[in-house]
Amino acid sequence: MGYAMAERLAKAGCDIAVWNRTKAKADPLAKHGAKVVTHLDELAGTDILFCMVSTYDDVKEVIGKVLGKGRPGMVVECSSISLEGSAELRRLLSKHQVQYLAAPVSGNAKVIKAGKLTFVVSGPKEAYERARPYLDMMGGGSSYVGEGELARIAKICHNVMLGVVIQSLCEVTILAQKAGMPRHAFLGFLNKSVMGSMFTRYKTPALVNLDFHVTFTPKLLRKDLDLGLGAGREFEVPMPLASITRDLLQQMIGQGMTEEDFSTLLLMQAGVSGVRLEPENVPVGDGL
Ligand SMILES: NC(=O)c1ccc[n+]([C@@H]2O[C@H](COP(=O)([O-])OP(=O)(O)OC[C@H]3O[C@@H](n4cnc5c(N)ncnc54)[C@H](OP(=O)(O)O)[C@@H]3O)[C@@H](O)[C@H]2O)c1
């Protein structure tokens, strides 16, 4: 995600410096004009520091190292993390007098390439206005939802829905196949219907041709469902669908299915339905 976001900023002509723990993965950004740095502290003096890693522990580690060496003008934190983690980060940054925007995203790396990444943002409004042109360069715009950590809750809700929808999509796709129709025919209909969405369309090639090249790992999705269930407990909101989906995902992870895309939930559903899956080898678009 971070690579694709940085690539858009670099291609738009921004003066950017990039750090990634495994530097080799970031090196190709140099050909688009980005400066790929070796040490995190080289980012300490930047005007706006975008952070995109995995979990809150990783965010804490990375931002902690930057703050050890200097003070960026503003931090825009884009990883999917908890409300509590985000609030703790805000306190830490505020102690160092660094402005902070919580700005998680919707879309995978392919969506970013297609220019359709969206941000949900919370924090000081004037900081948002300063960061906004750069958020726009990375995709299809942003939604400002208010002060504090509100953007985190919006993103958690979004990804709980992502988990529930992919599980449902896998269930009905296997049902349609077992009843006798090709997956591409069923999904072709669904995608044109009122139930079709950018998401169902861009997942269709994976479900039809069984290309499970990772876009989002099962463990990262589990993290988000856990964040959703945690928020449900905090706000006393029952979330039965999220709970079942989390357990189904856990079954998949428990069987060692961790390295491919989260849409391998289709394989699990086929297994428990007595359905043998073969790629249909039909060219289907992703709608992006
Ligand atoms: N993929 C999606 O569709 C998607 C969509 C929306 C939001 N998200 C969220 O965006 C975030 C990133 O997701 P992703 O799919 O890009 O994950 P990913 O492919 O697993 O990449 C994780 C990135 O974080 C770095 N990282 C992890 N732990 C680190 C640490 N302790 N110190 C320094 N760097 C660390 C990794 O560096 P290395 O390269 O060295 O491993 C890598 O650059 C997650 O919070 C995810 O939930 C993902």
Side-chain angles (χ1 to χ4, degrees), residues 1-2 19-23 25 52-55 57-59 61-62 65 78-81 105-109 117 155 159 215-217 220-221 223-224 262:
M1 295 293 287
W19 175 88
N20 191 59
R21 180 177 58 183
T22 311
K23 182 172 174 288
K25 291 193 208 163
M52 187 55 146
V53 288
S54 299
T55 65
D57 284 345
D58 306 319
V59 171
E61 188 183 326
V62 166
K65 282 181 188 161
C78 303
S79 322
S80 304
I81 61 172
V105 303
S106 170
N108 62 27
L117 184 75
K155 171 61 188 174
N159 269 31
T215 65
F216 187 44
T217 64
L220 283 179
L221 179 57
K223 171 200 62 161
D224 291 345
F262 68 105

Side-chain angles (χ1 to χ4, degrees), residues 221-278:
L221 179 57
R222 180 183 62 184
K223 171 200 62 161
D224 291 345
L225 285 162
D226 284 338
L227 291 174
L229 291 168
R233 277 192 292 278
E234 184 186 340
F235 292 101
E236 299 205 20
V237 174
M239 301 183 73
L241 293 180
S243 186
I244 289 171
T245 306
R246 194 267 179 213
D247 279 352
L248 291 167
L249 194 63
Q250 180 59 56
Q251 282 179 25
M252 185 170 97
I253 291 170
Q255 290 184 19
M257 295 165 70
T258 55
E259 301 311 307
E260 290 186 299
D261 196 55
F262 68 105
S263 54
T264 43
L265 280 166
L266 187 78
L267 303 179
M268 289 283 293
Q269 187 62 32
V272 294
S273 308
V275 166
R276 194 179 146 75
L277 280 181
E278 296 289 349

Side-chain angles (χ1 to χ4, degrees), residues 10-88:
K11 282 185 171 171
C14 290
D15 174 18
I16 63 164
V18 184
W19 175 88
N20 191 59
R21 180 177 58 183
T22 311
K23 182 172 174 288
K25 291 193 208 163
D27 281 339
L29 287 167
K31 66 175 181 283
H32 303 299
K35 180 181 173 205
V36 183
V37 304
T38 311
H39 300 290
L40 253 182
D41 51 9
E42 293 176 71
L43 301 184
T46 48
D47 299 330
I48 304 181
L49 178 71
F50 287 93
C51 176
M52 187 55 146
V53 288
S54 299
T55 65
Y56 176 59
D57 284 345
D58 306 319
V59 171
K60 211 159 58 170
E61 188 183 326
V62 166
I63 300 294
K65 282 181 188 161
V66 171
L67 292 177
K69 296 289 176 183
R71 190 157 73 91
M74 178 196 314
V75 168
V76 182
E77 208 305 301
C78 303
S79 322
S80 304
I81 61 172
S82 66
L83 275 167
E84 298 74 21
S86 193
E88 187 179 296

Side-chain angles (χ1 to χ4, degrees), residues 168-181 186 266 269 273 275:
S168 177
L169 193 59
C170 292
E171 285 175 21
V172 293
T173 301
I174 294 297
L175 174 61
Q177 173 175 344
K178 198 164 185 190
M181 78 195 82
F186 168 65
L266 187 78
Q269 187 62 32
S273 308
V275 166

